[in-house]
Amino acid sequence: MASLIVVLFTALEFAAALALPVALGAPAPSGAMVSTWLRFGLGALGTSIALLAVMLLLAAVVDSQIVVLGVGIVGGFLGVAALLSPAWLAALNPFGYYAVLLPFGFTESGVAPTQPGWWLWAAYLVLAAAVFIAGSRALNRKEI
């Protein structure tokens, strides 16, 4: 159920981000630009679901939910800081994979296209899925 909510709100967020500027009078983006942002949106969705899985596992493992809240808050700040970092540094933080996928970055001359780190992202998803599956199996075998 939680993953359905994440999918729904991520789709709503990206639809609004693409449609709202046009509704307010900005020129419509080209087909290539829409394609670029749709790929980023799908990547952000995958990142959100991976983070959801890891945070759910963490919530099931620790006794105090303040730990999960603290990890989420600190991770959110580190994720925002990752937007200003190189991709290799952003990849060290699970919350930084939104920055790894950004199709544009800042340079001294302004905004410039970048090459998203799709291989890093794919490895992150595989690792997050493996951790979630292993953790879920361990929790299923644990006696209460």
Side-chain angles (χ1 to χ4, degrees), residues 45-133:
L45 177 62
T47 302
S48 295
I49 290 176
L51 281 174
L52 173 67
V54 171
M55 294 299 282
L56 282 173
L57 184 63
L58 182 63
V61 170
V62 297
D63 291 330
S64 174
Q65 295 306 298
I66 196 77
V67 172
V68 180
L69 178 65
V71 168
I73 290 172
V74 171
F77 281 119
L78 290 174
V80 170
L83 294 171
L84 303 172
S85 304
W88 66 268
L89 187 58
L92 297 177
N93 170 17
F95 293 84
Y97 278 86
Y98 298 102
V100 169
L101 295 178
L102 278 177
F104 298 97
F106 296 106
T107 62
E108 286 139 14
S109 60
V111 177
T114 62
Q115 181 62 39
W118 290 107
W119 288 108
L120 276 173
W121 177 76
Y124 164 70
L125 285 186
V126 168
L127 181 64
V131 166
F132 183 74
I133 290 168

Side-chain angles (χ1 to χ4, degrees), residues 4-39:
L4 180 63
I5 293 170
V6 169
V7 168
L8 194 67
F9 279 107
T10 302
L12 181 65
E13 174 188 6
F14 277 92
L18 289 173
L20 190 60
V22 174
L24 294 175
S30 68
M33 187 61 65
V34 169
S35 173
T36 297
W37 284 111
L38 285 177
R39 280 193 307 274

